[in-house]
Amino acid sequence: MKIIRCAIACAAALAGLIAAGPSPSIAAPQLPAGGFAGTPFAAALAERLADEGFDREVVEGFLADDRAEVIRTTLAYAIVYRESKADYSRFLDADRIGRAKSFMERKGDALAAAEERYGVPAEVITAIIMIESDFGDFRRLHRLFNVFATLIWSAEEENFSDVRTVIRKRLPDVDDEKIRTRSRKKAAWGYQQLTVLLRIAEREAVDPFSIEGSWAGAFGLAQFIPTSYWDY
């Protein structure tokens, strides 16, 4: 009898849900894409970068480029980030160790030169590259210009509602104050990284949009952020 009553109760609840229809959902915001031309955001950022010594017309060209956009993944994960405990045991299986040895054999000269110059053992360099990018095989590439532009964009008050919607889809318990605080902090960090990224692009004579990396702003085999790359 208990089973029958339970089944009847479940059926009644289900019928009620069907009658009520699906729960309302929050529509995903339409984020800027295809460039920031003509926006107050682009004008303000171009002025800041010009004050840093960058050519204003060049910077305005980057911001107007149709490759410039806000990255949803960066908004969702980089502003309010909750790091889970990493399981490094997976890097100790026979396959990974074998690939690490093979990498050291193939890149022996470069690793020896790096060890001599920086004092970091070849084994440590290899381990970092294995963990960070699986020797270059694991890549979720985003244009770094857009990663840092996204972080700067996130701190603009007029964008708060969209930023909050994206973050709360992943972390529904985050309050407004934390989102605002973290957005401002990450925007300051993102601006610093963007200025260095542009200097790297200038020095190497490359298109800044060609430099790709993670949603968090790291790039290359060792997943350095621009400031670390520039310094070392």
Side-chain angles (χ1 to χ4, degrees), residues 31-214:
L31 302 175
F36 300 102
T39 64
F41 168 73
L45 182 53
E47 183 173 352
R48 288 180 70 187
L49 290 169
D51 289 343
E52 298 277 355
F54 293 102
D55 186 303
R56 187 183 185 112
E57 288 188 9
V58 172
V59 170
E60 288 175 343
F62 292 149
L63 291 167
D65 193 294
D66 60 10
R67 293 171 294 175
E69 62 181 349
V70 169
I71 301 175
R72 189 178 301 271
T73 305
T74 296
L75 287 181
Y77 288 90
I79 295 175
V80 181
Y81 183 62
R82 292 178 181 172
E83 187 171 6
S84 57
K85 186 176 181 180
D87 177 17
Y88 289 99
S89 64
R90 60 195 175 94
F91 296 107
L92 301 177
D93 61 40
D95 175 66
R96 297 274 189 148
I97 297 301
R99 291 170 60 210
K101 290 180 178 178
S102 176
F103 179 86
M104 291 183 68
E105 290 171 359
R106 288 183 286 108
K107 305 294 184 182
D109 291 344
L111 290 168
E115 181 172 351
E116 182 177 355
R117 180 172 181 178
Y118 298 106
V120 181
E123 294 84 358
V124 173
I125 297 172
T126 301
I128 290 172
I129 292 173
M130 176 177 67
I131 292 170
E132 292 296 336
S133 69
D134 196 16
F135 306 109
D137 288 343
F138 181 73
R139 300 185 299 170
R140 293 181 179 173
L141 298 183
H142 300 278
R143 293 185 174 98
L144 291 194
F145 183 95
N146 291 338
V147 170
F148 303 128
T150 294
L151 294 176
I152 300 166
W153 180 91
S154 75
E156 302 290 316
E157 183 59 30
E158 60 266 28
N159 303 326
F160 176 75
S161 178
D162 288 344
V163 173
R164 177 176 57 190
T165 298
V166 173
I167 291 174
R168 284 190 177 167
K169 185 173 182 180
R170 186 177 72 89
L171 300 171
D173 60 327
V174 179
D175 62 48
D176 286 6
E177 184 56 34
K178 183 165 188 176
I179 293 173
R180 282 193 167 92
T181 300
R182 290 292 300 168
S183 294
R184 288 192 292 267
K185 183 174 181 179
K186 293 299 291 188
W189 180 85
Y191 179 77
Q192 178 190 30
Q193 298 304 317
L194 179 62
T195 61
V196 177
L197 176 73
L198 293 175
R199 296 194 190 286
I200 292 170
E202 278 185 342
R203 185 181 69 183
E204 304 299 329
V206 298
D207 179 355
F209 287 101
S210 70
I211 305 174
E212 298 181 321
S214 73

